[in-house]
Amino acid sequence: MHIELKGVSKTYGSFKAVDNVSFAIERGKLIGLLGPSGGGKSTLLRILAGLETPDSGEIRINGKRVNDVAPQERGIGFVFQNYALFKHMSVYDNIAFGLTIRKASKAEIKSRVDELLELTGLRGFEKRYPHQLSGGQRQRVAFARALAPRPDLLLLDEPFAAIDAKVRKELRTWLKQLIATIGITSIFVTHDQDEAVEVADEMLIVQQGKLEQQGTPVEVYTQP
Ligand code: ADP
Ligand code: ADP
């Protein structure tokens, strides 16, 4: 999946949350979207997902303008920081959700959920409910749920921010392996520089709504 933003801006009242941002991303990369809190990272992510319409500029995913494509057909999966799992659904049903709403057959759902339980190391947990899981396990369910419909793009908004430091480190390593295994283009929002350096193939640095830098971690930290 190729992603391109051209001159994208978004204003809230008189406040420019995103200010004339342009960039392109190649298929299969894990992009770290880094910058201080309030810099516009989440807004940019929501615009990319078509959840928010920019005031100007355009976003093309594989050549198509994102807002011209129905949400379910955009091929985008999300993981947010605060789990946002369905509390009254088992792990199995949480993972199956995106397939159920697309009216996949029971057999299809079972085979895909099995695959994801394996991929996320959650086999044996399928009958549990979110409150019976640790924070790290819940986030792995969130990844499985996001990946179930086979998206082309995965948007991760501080997915490990609410998890304690030791588990967070394990999850980063796990995530890098997961992404490498499935080869999906991903954008990972964080305000943690170490985290971005550790997970990202390439970084986008956003500050006060502006894209300040784009490059590999080495390029970004060796250029003034
Ligand atoms: P980040 O993700 O980098 O922390 P955000 O994109 O969440 O930054 O926010 C950028 C700025 O835009 C912040 O100052 C925030 O308060 C403001 N903002 C974001 N969403 C809204 C909204 N819906 N209405 C008004 N202001 C908003
Ligand atoms: P984060 O810090 O994780 O990026 P925020 O707490 O800034 O998230 O924002 C959470 C939600 O509140 C977002 O959907 C954002 O659009 C909205 N929001 C943020 N700032 C404002 C604001 N000043 N006015 C209205 N909505 C806002």
Side-chain angles (χ1 to χ4, degrees), residues 188-211:
F188 185 107
V189 169
T190 179
H191 59 260
D192 179 340
Q193 190 169 304
D194 296 338
E195 184 162 83
V197 170
E198 199 177 317
V199 299
D201 299 316
E202 198 174 303
M203 306 221 282
L204 295 167
I205 315 282
V206 175
Q207 213 158 352
Q208 294 178 327
K210 290 196 167 70
L211 178 65

PDB file of all heavy atoms in Angstrom, residues 188-211:
ATOM      1  N   PHE A 188       3.126   4.182  13.632  1.00  0.00           N
ATOM      2  CA  PHE A 188       3.163   4.027  15.082  1.00  0.00           C
ATOM      3  C   PHE A 188       3.367   5.404  15.707  1.00  0.00           C
ATOM      4  O   PHE A 188       4.426   6.003  15.578  1.00  0.00           O
ATOM      5  CB  PHE A 188       4.352   3.109  15.402  1.00  0.00           C
ATOM      6  CG  PHE A 188       4.500   2.721  16.846  1.00  0.00           C
ATOM      7  CD1 PHE A 188       4.188   1.429  17.260  1.00  0.00           C
ATOM      8  CD2 PHE A 188       4.979   3.612  17.788  1.00  0.00           C
ATOM      9  CE1 PHE A 188       4.348   1.051  18.588  1.00  0.00           C
ATOM     10  CE2 PHE A 188       5.131   3.246  19.119  1.00  0.00           C
ATOM     11  CZ  PHE A 188       4.820   1.951  19.515  1.00  0.00           C
ATOM     12  N   VAL A 189       2.330   5.922  16.371  1.00  0.00           N
ATOM     13  CA  VAL A 189       2.439   7.231  17.022  1.00  0.00           C
ATOM     14  C   VAL A 189       3.032   7.075  18.416  1.00  0.00           C
ATOM     15  O   VAL A 189       2.606   6.211  19.183  1.00  0.00           O
ATOM     16  CB  VAL A 189       1.048   7.896  17.150  1.00  0.00           C
ATOM     17  CG1 VAL A 189       1.102   9.111  18.063  1.00  0.00           C
ATOM     18  CG2 VAL A 189       0.518   8.298  15.793  1.00  0.00           C
ATOM     19  N   THR A 190       4.007   7.899  18.733  1.00  0.00           N
ATOM     20  CA  THR A 190       4.571   7.893  20.082  1.00  0.00           C
ATOM     21  C   THR A 190       5.188   9.261  20.389  1.00  0.00           C
ATOM     22  O   THR A 190       5.548  10.003  19.490  1.00  0.00           O
ATOM     23  CB  THR A 190       5.635   6.772  20.241  1.00  0.00           C
ATOM     24  OG1 THR A 190       6.166   6.816  21.567  1.00  0.00           O
ATOM     25  CG2 THR A 190       6.770   6.897  19.243  1.00  0.00           C
ATOM     26  N   HIS A 191       5.247   9.587  21.693  1.00  0.00           N
ATOM     27  CA  HIS A 191       6.003  10.791  22.038  1.00  0.00           C
ATOM     28  C   HIS A 191       7.334  10.376  22.680  1.00  0.00           C
ATOM     29  O   HIS A 191       8.079  11.206  23.173  1.00  0.00           O
ATOM     30  CB  HIS A 191       5.196  11.725  22.949  1.00  0.00           C
ATOM     31  CG  HIS A 191       4.773  11.078  24.228  1.00  0.00           C
ATOM     32  ND1 HIS A 191       3.517  10.575  24.419  1.00  0.00           N
ATOM     33  CD2 HIS A 191       5.457  10.808  25.349  1.00  0.00           C
ATOM     34  CE1 HIS A 191       3.443  10.026  25.621  1.00  0.00           C
ATOM     35  NE2 HIS A 191       4.612  10.144  26.207  1.00  0.00           N
ATOM     36  N   ASP A 192       7.592   9.045  22.653  1.00  0.00           N
ATOM     37  CA  ASP A 192       8.783   8.496  23.291  1.00  0.00           C
ATOM     38  C   ASP A 192       9.858   8.221  22.231  1.00  0.00           C
ATOM     39  O   ASP A 192       9.737   7.318  21.407  1.00  0.00           O
ATOM     40  CB  ASP A 192       8.371   7.197  24.002  1.00  0.00           C
ATOM     41  CG  ASP A 192       9.529   6.499  24.706  1.00  0.00           C
ATOM     42  OD1 ASP A 192      10.698   6.755  24.365  1.00  0.00           O
ATOM     43  OD2 ASP A 192       9.248   5.678  25.600  1.00  0.00           O
ATOM     44  N   GLN A 193      10.909   9.021  22.288  1.00  0.00           N
ATOM     45  CA  GLN A 193      11.976   8.961  21.288  1.00  0.00           C
ATOM     46  C   GLN A 193      12.649   7.583  21.247  1.00  0.00           C
ATOM     47  O   GLN A 193      12.892   7.036  20.171  1.00  0.00           O
ATOM     48  CB  GLN A 193      13.005  10.029  21.639  1.00  0.00           C
ATOM     49  CG  GLN A 193      14.043  10.272  20.599  1.00  0.00           C
ATOM     50  CD  GLN A 193      14.821  11.538  20.945  1.00  0.00           C
ATOM     51  OE1 GLN A 193      14.237  12.606  21.112  1.00  0.00           O
ATOM     52  NE2 GLN A 193      16.116  11.422  21.063  1.00  0.00           N
ATOM     53  N   ASP A 194      12.921   7.026  22.432  1.00  0.00           N
ATOM     54  CA  ASP A 194      13.583   5.711  22.479  1.00  0.00           C
ATOM     55  C   ASP A 194      12.709   4.645  21.816  1.00  0.00           C
ATOM     56  O   ASP A 194      13.202   3.776  21.103  1.00  0.00           O
ATOM     57  CB  ASP A 194      13.861   5.283  23.924  1.00  0.00           C
ATOM     58  CG  ASP A 194      14.847   6.226  24.591  1.00  0.00           C
ATOM     59  OD1 ASP A 194      15.597   6.901  23.858  1.00  0.00           O
ATOM     60  OD2 ASP A 194      14.851   6.292  25.833  1.00  0.00           O
ATOM     61  N   GLU A 195      11.419   4.747  22.095  1.00  0.00           N
ATOM     62  CA  GLU A 195      10.490   3.779  21.519  1.00  0.00           C
ATOM     63  C   GLU A 195      10.492   3.887  19.995  1.00  0.00           C
ATOM     64  O   GLU A 195      10.547   2.886  19.285  1.00  0.00           O
ATOM     65  CB  GLU A 195       9.085   4.031  22.065  1.00  0.00           C
ATOM     66  CG  GLU A 195       8.072   3.014  21.601  1.00  0.00           C
ATOM     67  CD  GLU A 195       6.828   3.013  22.483  1.00  0.00           C
ATOM     68  OE1 GLU A 195       5.943   3.866  22.257  1.00  0.00           O
ATOM     69  OE2 GLU A 195       6.753   2.175  23.395  1.00  0.00           O
ATOM     70  N   ALA A 196      10.453   5.115  19.487  1.00  0.00           N
ATOM     71  CA  ALA A 196      10.439   5.333  18.037  1.00  0.00           C
ATOM     72  C   ALA A 196      11.708   4.778  17.400  1.00  0.00           C
ATOM     73  O   ALA A 196      11.662   4.081  16.394  1.00  0.00           O
ATOM     74  CB  ALA A 196      10.287   6.823  17.726  1.00  0.00           C
ATOM     75  N   VAL A 197      12.851   5.065  18.011  1.00  0.00           N
ATOM     76  CA  VAL A 197      14.126   4.591  17.468  1.00  0.00           C
ATOM     77  C   VAL A 197      14.145   3.066  17.444  1.00  0.00           C
ATOM     78  O   VAL A 197      14.616   2.445  16.491  1.00  0.00           O
ATOM     79  CB  VAL A 197      15.317   5.131  18.296  1.00  0.00           C
ATOM     80  CG1 VAL A 197      16.622   4.452  17.895  1.00  0.00           C
ATOM     81  CG2 VAL A 197      15.429   6.640  18.137  1.00  0.00           C
ATOM     82  N   GLU A 198      13.608   2.471  18.497  1.00  0.00           N
ATOM     83  CA  GLU A 198      13.643   1.018  18.587  1.00  0.00           C
ATOM     84  C   GLU A 198      12.718   0.333  17.583  1.00  0.00           C
ATOM     85  O   GLU A 198      13.083  -0.680  16.997  1.00  0.00           O
ATOM     86  CB  GLU A 198      13.273   0.586  20.009  1.00  0.00           C
ATOM     87  CG  GLU A 198      13.726  -0.828  20.285  1.00  0.00           C
ATOM     88  CD  GLU A 198      13.426  -1.249  21.707  1.00  0.00           C
ATOM     89  OE1 GLU A 198      13.658  -0.432  22.622  1.00  0.00           O
ATOM     90  OE2 GLU A 198      12.957  -2.382  21.876  1.00  0.00           O
ATOM     91  N   VAL A 199      11.532   0.871  17.365  1.00  0.00           N
ATOM     92  CA  VAL A 199      10.602   0.141  16.501  1.00  0.00           C
ATOM     93  C   VAL A 199      10.611   0.579  15.033  1.00  0.00           C
ATOM     94  O   VAL A 199      10.310  -0.232  14.160  1.00  0.00           O
ATOM     95  CB  VAL A 199       9.126   0.164  17.000  1.00  0.00           C
ATOM     96  CG1 VAL A 199       8.999  -0.475  18.362  1.00  0.00           C
ATOM     97  CG2 VAL A 199       8.556   1.552  17.000  1.00  0.00           C
ATOM     98  N   ALA A 200      10.945   1.831  14.755  1.00  0.00           N
ATOM     99  CA  ALA A 200      10.644   2.372  13.429  1.00  0.00           C
ATOM    100  C   ALA A 200      11.722   2.105  12.380  1.00  0.00           C
ATOM    101  O   ALA A 200      12.910   2.182  12.655  1.00  0.00           O
ATOM    102  CB  ALA A 200      10.394   3.871  13.536  1.00  0.00           C
ATOM    103  N   ASP A 201      11.286   1.803  11.138  1.00  0.00           N
ATOM    104  CA  ASP A 201      12.198   1.776   9.993  1.00  0.00           C
ATOM    105  C   ASP A 201      12.473   3.211   9.555  1.00  0.00           C
ATOM    106  O   ASP A 201      13.530   3.531   9.047  1.00  0.00           O
ATOM    107  CB  ASP A 201      11.542   1.066   8.788  1.00  0.00           C
ATOM    108  CG  ASP A 201      11.199  -0.372   9.090  1.00  0.00           C
ATOM    109  OD1 ASP A 201      12.042  -1.064   9.680  1.00  0.00           O
ATOM    110  OD2 ASP A 201      10.084  -0.804   8.737  1.00  0.00           O
ATOM    111  N   GLU A 202      11.452   4.031   9.718  1.00  0.00           N
ATOM    112  CA  GLU A 202      11.547   5.409   9.275  1.00  0.00           C
ATOM    113  C   GLU A 202      10.749   6.276  10.237  1.00  0.00           C
ATOM    114  O   GLU A 202       9.774   5.815  10.823  1.00  0.00           O
ATOM    115  CB  GLU A 202      10.937   5.492   7.872  1.00  0.00           C
ATOM    116  CG  GLU A 202      11.352   6.729   7.131  1.00  0.00           C
ATOM    117  CD  GLU A 202      10.858   6.697   5.696  1.00  0.00           C
ATOM    118  OE1 GLU A 202      11.184   5.743   4.966  1.00  0.00           O
ATOM    119  OE2 GLU A 202      10.144   7.633   5.329  1.00  0.00           O
ATOM    120  N   MET A 203      11.176   7.528  10.396  1.00  0.00           N
ATOM    121  CA  MET A 203      10.485   8.393  11.344  1.00  0.00           C
ATOM    122  C   MET A 203       9.948   9.644  10.665  1.00  0.00           C
ATOM    123  O   MET A 203      10.573  10.205   9.760  1.00  0.00           O
ATOM    124  CB  MET A 203      11.442   8.798  12.457  1.00  0.00           C
ATOM    125  CG  MET A 203      12.075   7.594  13.124  1.00  0.00           C
ATOM    126  SD  MET A 203      12.191   7.769  14.880  1.00  0.00           S
ATOM    127  CE  MET A 203      13.559   8.827  14.976  1.00  0.00           C
ATOM    128  N   LEU A 204       8.802  10.083  11.161  1.00  0.00           N
ATOM    129  CA  LEU A 204       8.232  11.373  10.790  1.00  0.00           C
ATOM    130  C   LEU A 204       8.167  12.174  12.084  1.00  0.00           C
ATOM    131  O   LEU A 204       7.547  11.737  13.053  1.00  0.00           O
ATOM    132  CB  LEU A 204       6.804  11.194  10.257  1.00  0.00           C
ATOM    133  CG  LEU A 204       6.621  10.407   8.962  1.00  0.00           C
ATOM    134  CD1 LEU A 204       5.147  10.067   8.773  1.00  0.00           C
ATOM    135  CD2 LEU A 204       7.116  11.220   7.780  1.00  0.00           C
ATOM    136  N   ILE A 205       8.824  13.322  12.099  1.00  0.00           N
ATOM    137  CA  ILE A 205       8.808  14.147  13.309  1.00  0.00           C
ATOM    138  C   ILE A 205       7.836  15.309  13.101  1.00  0.00           C
ATOM    139  O   ILE A 205       8.021  16.107  12.169  1.00  0.00           O
ATOM    140  CB  ILE A 205      10.208  14.726  13.623  1.00  0.00           C
ATOM    141  CG1 ILE A 205      11.302  13.668  13.484  1.00  0.00           C
ATOM    142  CG2 ILE A 205      10.230  15.409  14.994  1.00  0.00           C
ATOM    143  CD1 ILE A 205      11.436  12.706  14.604  1.00  0.00           C
ATOM    144  N   VAL A 206       6.823  15.365  13.966  1.00  0.00           N
ATOM    145  CA  VAL A 206       5.789  16.388  13.833  1.00  0.00           C
ATOM    146  C   VAL A 206       5.792  17.267  15.072  1.00  0.00           C
ATOM    147  O   VAL A 206       5.813  16.777  16.203  1.00  0.00           O
ATOM    148  CB  VAL A 206       4.398  15.737  13.670  1.00  0.00           C
ATOM    149  CG1 VAL A 206       3.297  16.778  13.656  1.00  0.00           C
ATOM    150  CG2 VAL A 206       4.349  14.924  12.397  1.00  0.00           C
ATOM    151  N   GLN A 207       5.787  18.564  14.829  1.00  0.00           N
ATOM    152  CA  GLN A 207       5.833  19.528  15.922  1.00  0.00           C
ATOM    153  C   GLN A 207       4.962  20.714  15.566  1.00  0.00           C
ATOM    154  O   GLN A 207       5.066  21.228  14.447  1.00  0.00           O
ATOM    155  CB  GLN A 207       7.290  19.983  16.073  1.00  0.00           C
ATOM    156  CG  GLN A 207       7.663  20.292  17.477  1.00  0.00           C
ATOM    157  CD  GLN A 207       9.168  20.218  17.693  1.00  0.00           C
ATOM    158  OE1 GLN A 207       9.924  19.789  16.819  1.00  0.00           O
ATOM    159  NE2 GLN A 207       9.618  20.652  18.842  1.00  0.00           N
ATOM    160  N   GLN A 208       4.107  21.135  16.469  1.00  0.00           N
ATOM    161  CA  GLN A 208       3.191  22.258  16.227  1.00  0.00           C
ATOM    162  C   GLN A 208       2.505  22.149  14.866  1.00  0.00           C
ATOM    163  O   GLN A 208       2.410  23.129  14.126  1.00  0.00           O
ATOM    164  CB  GLN A 208       3.946  23.585  16.355  1.00  0.00           C
ATOM    165  CG  GLN A 208       4.404  23.807  17.793  1.00  0.00           C
ATOM    166  CD  GLN A 208       5.209  25.074  17.978  1.00  0.00           C
ATOM    167  OE1 GLN A 208       5.942  25.497  17.082  1.00  0.00           O
ATOM    168  NE2 GLN A 208       5.056  25.684  19.135  1.00  0.00           N
ATOM    169  N   GLY A 209       2.082  20.935  14.558  1.00  0.00           N
ATOM    170  CA  GLY A 209       1.318  20.711  13.338  1.00  0.00           C
ATOM    171  C   GLY A 209       2.139  20.590  12.069  1.00  0.00           C
ATOM    172  O   GLY A 209       1.607  20.280  11.012  1.00  0.00           O
ATOM    173  N   LYS A 210       3.466  20.824  12.177  1.00  0.00           N
ATOM    174  CA  LYS A 210       4.309  20.792  10.973  1.00  0.00           C
ATOM    175  C   LYS A 210       5.184  19.543  10.944  1.00  0.00           C
ATOM    176  O   LYS A 210       5.662  19.091  11.982  1.00  0.00           O
ATOM    177  CB  LYS A 210       5.221  22.021  10.933  1.00  0.00           C
ATOM    178  CG  LYS A 210       4.509  23.325  10.663  1.00  0.00           C
ATOM    179  CD  LYS A 210       5.549  24.373  10.252  1.00  0.00           C
ATOM    180  CE  LYS A 210       4.924  25.610   9.658  1.00  0.00           C
ATOM    181  NZ  LYS A 210       4.196  26.421  10.668  1.00  0.00           N
ATOM    182  N   LEU A 211       5.394  19.033   9.721  1.00  0.00           N
ATOM    183  CA  LEU A 211       6.330  17.925   9.569  1.00  0.00           C
ATOM    184  C   LEU A 211       7.733  18.502   9.543  1.00  0.00           C
ATOM    185  O   LEU A 211       8.112  19.223   8.622  1.00  0.00           O
ATOM    186  CB  LEU A 211       6.047  17.160   8.270  1.00  0.00           C
ATOM    187  CG  LEU A 211       6.999  16.001   7.963  1.00  0.00           C
ATOM    188  CD1 LEU A 211       6.861  14.897   9.004  1.00  0.00           C
ATOM    189  CD2 LEU A 211       6.718  15.443   6.576  1.00  0.00           C
TER     190      LEU A 211
END
